Amino acid sequence: MSAQIIDGKAFAAKVRGQVAEHVTRLKEQHGITPGLAVVLVGEDPASQVYVRSKGKMTAEVGMKSVEHKLEVETAEADLLALIDQLNKDESIHGILVQLPLPKHLNEDLVINSISPAKDVDGFHISNVGLLGTGQKSMVPCTPLGCLMMLREHHGSLSGLNAVVIGRSNIVGKPMAQLLLGDSCTVTIAHSRTKDLPEVVGRADIVVAAVGRPEMVPGEWIKKGATVIDVGINRIERDGKNKLVGDVDFASCSEVAGAITPVPGGVGPMTIACLLANTVTACSRANGLPEPEGLTA
Ligand code: NDP
């Protein structure tokens, strides 16, 4: 293996440390405790694990953590009423509604009912528009984590060719906007892209957010490129359950200059960025300076 491993787990611990320091300053100098409310509707096992882990890490950095667990058949009006109450609650600076929601709930309506200033997932249409026009916004956590790792590794990203594979609203599109904001030349690839190997082969930076296990082989990657693997895929291999990314780590790490592993790459950065967004939202809400290095 020739590629440098970008250690997302270690970097996420560093980010959480910076968040904790800022939380301490807010408490000691201003008597403010940042608060994050997480709303979970239903009993999806994966969502329950995410919500538990978010609550634990929120408390660990010294923030107030509130969880609202609602029945799977919760009426839309009741969920909207809870969000309205959280929007008005001055002790809550970040609101996250765990997705996916049960089918009878309108996800767009629910997300767009969160106050944009408290939308720590960055999915509200106002934040999407602000990001798209290069204005200060709340930035989706997973792409923000990828950007932080890329900046840490490269310093400046200006002029680099970046290919984002995947065009979802939560990863691919905001990732492309962030890379454009850092002056990369950006291509977004998707399921209809022609000659994907050729497109990927031009990239100095490849961000794979597809949801297909080990889809990108090393032979597609330009020598020395940086590979950020967003994918989280559970597969069975040799009779064991295994977590793999969207890139074939074994072959890509022979060619790439740097690569994120799965697990231990993008995943830990996502939660760290949620905490970073909450402390940023709290600082903005109180007219105080934002923590440095924790926003786009
Ligand atoms: P979506 O399913 O919403 O989007 C997948 C994208 O991949 C689509 O744009 C689709 O194209 C594209 N795609 C599918 N097949 C191909 C193909 N053969 N060639 C090129 N493009 C293709 O997924 P998400 O963006 O939500 O998530 C992507 C992955 O990232 C998943 O594995 C998910 O689990 C993981 N993830 C990880 C997070 C983390 O914290 N590490 C957070 C969020 C997601 P089209 O639009 O044309 O259908």
Side-chain angles (χ1 to χ4, degrees), residues 167-197:
R167 56 174 164 179
S168 72
N169 289 336
I170 62 167
V171 189
K173 283 181 197 152
M175 186 73 247
Q177 295 285 5
L178 288 171
L179 291 166
L180 198 56
D182 270 28
S183 299
C184 288
T185 303
V186 183
T187 304
I188 306 180
H190 45 78
S191 67
R192 308 294 170 88
T193 297
K194 289 188 180 138
D195 201 354
L196 188 59

Short mmCIF file of all heavy atoms in Angstrom, two decimals, residues 167-197:
data_model
loop_
_atom_site.label_atom_id
_atom_site.label_comp_id
_atom_site.label_asym_id
_atom_site.label_seq_id
_atom_site.Cartn_x
_atom_site.Cartn_y
_atom_site.Cartn_z
N ARG A 167 -25.20 12.30 -6.52
CA ARG A 167 -25.81 13.64 -6.57
C ARG A 167 -26.97 13.78 -5.60
O ARG A 167 -27.98 14.44 -5.90
CB ARG A 167 -26.27 13.96 -8.00
CG ARG A 167 -27.22 12.92 -8.56
CD ARG A 167 -27.77 13.32 -9.91
NE ARG A 167 -28.36 12.17 -10.60
CZ ARG A 167 -28.93 12.24 -11.78
NH1 ARG A 167 -28.98 13.39 -12.43
NH2 ARG A 167 -29.43 11.17 -12.34
N SER A 168 -26.84 13.13 -4.44
CA SER A 168 -27.94 13.25 -3.46
C SER A 168 -27.92 14.64 -2.83
O SER A 168 -26.89 15.33 -2.84
CB SER A 168 -27.80 12.19 -2.36
OG SER A 168 -26.71 12.51 -1.51
N ASN A 169 -29.07 15.02 -2.26
CA ASN A 169 -29.16 16.33 -1.61
C ASN A 169 -28.36 16.38 -0.32
O ASN A 169 -27.98 17.45 0.13
CB ASN A 169 -30.62 16.67 -1.30
CG ASN A 169 -31.40 16.96 -2.56
OD1 ASN A 169 -30.82 17.35 -3.58
ND2 ASN A 169 -32.71 16.76 -2.52
N ILE A 170 -28.14 15.20 0.29
CA ILE A 170 -27.47 15.24 1.60
C ILE A 170 -25.94 15.09 1.50
O ILE A 170 -25.23 15.52 2.38
CB ILE A 170 -28.05 14.20 2.60
CG1 ILE A 170 -27.87 12.77 2.09
CG2 ILE A 170 -29.49 14.46 2.90
CD1 ILE A 170 -28.15 11.75 3.19
N VAL A 171 -25.47 14.49 0.42
CA VAL A 171 -24.00 14.34 0.29
C VAL A 171 -23.48 14.95 -1.03
O VAL A 171 -22.75 15.94 -1.02
CB VAL A 171 -23.54 12.87 0.40
CG1 VAL A 171 -22.01 12.83 0.49
CG2 VAL A 171 -24.13 12.15 1.59
N GLY A 172 -23.84 14.35 -2.15
CA GLY A 172 -23.22 14.71 -3.43
C GLY A 172 -23.32 16.19 -3.78
O GLY A 172 -22.29 16.84 -4.04
N LYS A 173 -24.55 16.72 -3.79
CA LYS A 173 -24.70 18.12 -4.23
C LYS A 173 -24.01 19.11 -3.29
O LYS A 173 -23.25 19.97 -3.76
CB LYS A 173 -26.18 18.46 -4.40
CG LYS A 173 -26.78 17.90 -5.68
CD LYS A 173 -28.24 18.33 -5.77
CE LYS A 173 -29.00 17.48 -6.77
NZ LYS A 173 -30.44 17.40 -6.41
N PRO A 174 -24.26 19.02 -1.95
CA PRO A 174 -23.55 19.98 -1.10
C PRO A 174 -22.03 19.81 -1.14
O PRO A 174 -21.28 20.79 -1.03
CB PRO A 174 -24.10 19.72 0.32
CG PRO A 174 -24.85 18.44 0.25
CD PRO A 174 -25.25 18.24 -1.18
N MET A 175 -21.56 18.57 -1.31
CA MET A 175 -20.11 18.33 -1.42
C MET A 175 -19.56 19.10 -2.61
O MET A 175 -18.51 19.76 -2.53
CB MET A 175 -19.87 16.83 -1.60
CG MET A 175 -18.41 16.43 -1.58
SD MET A 175 -17.72 16.51 0.07
CE MET A 175 -16.56 17.83 -0.04
N ALA A 176 -20.27 19.00 -3.73
CA ALA A 176 -19.82 19.69 -4.95
C ALA A 176 -19.80 21.21 -4.72
O ALA A 176 -18.86 21.90 -5.14
CB ALA A 176 -20.74 19.33 -6.11
N GLN A 177 -20.82 21.73 -4.03
CA GLN A 177 -20.86 23.18 -3.76
C GLN A 177 -19.66 23.61 -2.90
O GLN A 177 -19.06 24.66 -3.13
CB GLN A 177 -22.15 23.55 -3.00
CG GLN A 177 -23.43 23.33 -3.77
CD GLN A 177 -23.65 24.38 -4.84
OE1 GLN A 177 -22.80 25.24 -5.07
NE2 GLN A 177 -24.77 24.32 -5.51
N LEU A 178 -19.35 22.80 -1.91
CA LEU A 178 -18.24 23.14 -1.02
C LEU A 178 -16.91 23.12 -1.77
O LEU A 178 -16.06 23.99 -1.58
CB LEU A 178 -18.17 22.16 0.17
CG LEU A 178 -19.29 22.33 1.22
CD1 LEU A 178 -19.24 21.18 2.22
CD2 LEU A 178 -19.16 23.67 1.94
N LEU A 179 -16.73 22.13 -2.63
CA LEU A 179 -15.48 22.04 -3.39
C LEU A 179 -15.36 23.21 -4.37
O LEU A 179 -14.30 23.79 -4.56
CB LEU A 179 -15.41 20.70 -4.14
CG LEU A 179 -15.23 19.48 -3.21
CD1 LEU A 179 -15.53 18.18 -3.96
CD2 LEU A 179 -13.82 19.44 -2.63
N LEU A 180 -16.51 23.59 -4.94
CA LEU A 180 -16.53 24.75 -5.83
C LEU A 180 -16.17 26.02 -5.04
O LEU A 180 -15.41 26.86 -5.50
CB LEU A 180 -17.95 24.87 -6.41
CG LEU A 180 -18.16 25.71 -7.65
CD1 LEU A 180 -17.26 25.26 -8.79
CD2 LEU A 180 -19.63 25.64 -8.08
N GLY A 181 -16.71 26.10 -3.82
CA GLY A 181 -16.41 27.24 -2.94
C GLY A 181 -14.92 27.33 -2.63
O GLY A 181 -14.40 28.42 -2.40
N ASP A 182 -14.23 26.21 -2.64
CA ASP A 182 -12.78 26.21 -2.42
C ASP A 182 -12.01 26.21 -3.74
O ASP A 182 -10.84 25.84 -3.78
CB ASP A 182 -12.38 24.99 -1.56
CG ASP A 182 -12.42 25.31 -0.07
OD1 ASP A 182 -13.20 26.19 0.32
OD2 ASP A 182 -11.67 24.69 0.71
N SER A 183 -12.71 26.59 -4.80
CA SER A 183 -12.11 26.80 -6.12
C SER A 183 -11.57 25.54 -6.81
O SER A 183 -10.61 25.60 -7.58
CB SER A 183 -11.00 27.87 -6.08
OG SER A 183 -11.56 29.09 -5.67
N CYS A 184 -12.18 24.39 -6.52
CA CYS A 184 -11.89 23.20 -7.32
C CYS A 184 -12.65 23.30 -8.65
O CYS A 184 -13.64 24.03 -8.75
CB CYS A 184 -12.39 21.93 -6.61
SG CYS A 184 -11.43 21.48 -5.18
N THR A 185 -12.18 22.55 -9.64
CA THR A 185 -12.96 22.35 -10.86
C THR A 185 -13.76 21.08 -10.63
O THR A 185 -13.18 20.01 -10.47
CB THR A 185 -12.03 22.20 -12.07
OG1 THR A 185 -11.22 23.37 -12.13
CG2 THR A 185 -12.83 22.05 -13.36
N VAL A 186 -15.10 21.22 -10.56
CA VAL A 186 -15.91 20.12 -10.02
C VAL A 186 -16.75 19.43 -11.09
O VAL A 186 -17.39 20.08 -11.90
CB VAL A 186 -16.86 20.66 -8.92
CG1 VAL A 186 -17.65 19.51 -8.30
CG2 VAL A 186 -16.08 21.39 -7.84
N THR A 187 -16.73 18.11 -11.07
CA THR A 187 -17.62 17.31 -11.89
C THR A 187 -18.48 16.47 -10.96
O THR A 187 -17.96 15.88 -10.00
CB THR A 187 -16.81 16.35 -12.80
OG1 THR A 187 -15.89 17.11 -13.57
CG2 THR A 187 -17.72 15.55 -13.72
N ILE A 188 -19.78 16.45 -11.21
CA ILE A 188 -20.66 15.56 -10.43
C ILE A 188 -21.05 14.40 -11.34
O ILE A 188 -21.64 14.60 -12.40
CB ILE A 188 -21.94 16.27 -9.96
CG1 ILE A 188 -21.59 17.56 -9.20
CG2 ILE A 188 -22.77 15.34 -9.08
CD1 ILE A 188 -22.82 18.32 -8.70
N ALA A 189 -20.72 13.18 -10.91
CA ALA A 189 -21.08 11.99 -11.68
C ALA A 189 -22.26 11.29 -10.99
O ALA A 189 -22.48 11.47 -9.79
CB ALA A 189 -19.88 11.05 -11.76
N HIS A 190 -23.00 10.52 -11.77
CA HIS A 190 -24.18 9.83 -11.23
C HIS A 190 -24.46 8.60 -12.07
O HIS A 190 -23.63 8.22 -12.92
CB HIS A 190 -25.38 10.78 -11.17
CG HIS A 190 -25.54 11.58 -12.42
ND1 HIS A 190 -26.09 11.05 -13.56
CD2 HIS A 190 -25.16 12.84 -12.72
CE1 HIS A 190 -26.05 11.95 -14.51
NE2 HIS A 190 -25.49 13.07 -14.03
N SER A 191 -25.62 7.99 -11.87
CA SER A 191 -25.86 6.69 -12.52
C SER A 191 -25.95 6.78 -14.05
O SER A 191 -25.80 5.79 -14.74
CB SER A 191 -27.13 6.05 -11.97
OG SER A 191 -28.25 6.81 -12.34
N ARG A 192 -26.19 7.98 -14.58
CA ARG A 192 -26.29 8.12 -16.05
C ARG A 192 -24.98 8.64 -16.67
O ARG A 192 -24.93 8.88 -17.89
CB ARG A 192 -27.42 9.10 -16.42
CG ARG A 192 -28.76 8.80 -15.79
CD ARG A 192 -29.31 7.48 -16.30
NE ARG A 192 -30.47 7.09 -15.52
CZ ARG A 192 -31.72 7.46 -15.78
NH1 ARG A 192 -31.98 8.23 -16.80
NH2 ARG A 192 -32.70 7.06 -15.00
N THR A 193 -23.96 8.85 -15.86
CA THR A 193 -22.69 9.36 -16.38
C THR A 193 -22.09 8.38 -17.38
O THR A 193 -22.05 7.18 -17.12
CB THR A 193 -21.71 9.61 -15.21
OG1 THR A 193 -22.26 10.63 -14.38
CG2 THR A 193 -20.33 10.04 -15.70
N LYS A 194 -21.63 8.92 -18.51
CA LYS A 194 -20.99 8.05 -19.52
C LYS A 194 -19.51 7.94 -19.22
O LYS A 194 -18.87 8.93 -18.89
CB LYS A 194 -21.21 8.64 -20.91
CG LYS A 194 -22.64 8.52 -21.34
CD LYS A 194 -22.82 8.92 -22.80
CE LYS A 194 -24.28 8.76 -23.16
NZ LYS A 194 -24.78 9.87 -23.97
N ASP A 195 -18.97 6.77 -19.36
CA ASP A 195 -17.55 6.48 -19.16
C ASP A 195 -17.05 7.00 -17.80
O ASP A 195 -16.15 7.84 -17.73
CB ASP A 195 -16.72 7.07 -20.31
CG ASP A 195 -15.36 6.37 -20.41
OD1 ASP A 195 -15.04 5.54 -19.53
OD2 ASP A 195 -14.61 6.68 -21.36
N LEU A 196 -17.65 6.49 -16.75
CA LEU A 196 -17.26 6.90 -15.39
C LEU A 196 -15.77 6.68 -15.11
O LEU A 196 -15.12 7.55 -14.52
CB LEU A 196 -18.14 6.15 -14.37
CG LEU A 196 -18.01 6.57 -12.91
CD1 LEU A 196 -18.33 8.05 -12.71
CD2 LEU A 196 -18.91 5.72 -12.02
N PRO A 197 -15.17 5.56 -15.56
CA PRO A 197 -13.73 5.37 -15.30
C PRO A 197 -12.89 6.52 -15.86
O PRO A 197 -11.96 7.00 -15.21
CB PRO A 197 -13.40 4.05 -16.03
CG PRO A 197 -14.69 3.31 -16.06
CD PRO A 197 -15.76 4.36 -16.20
#
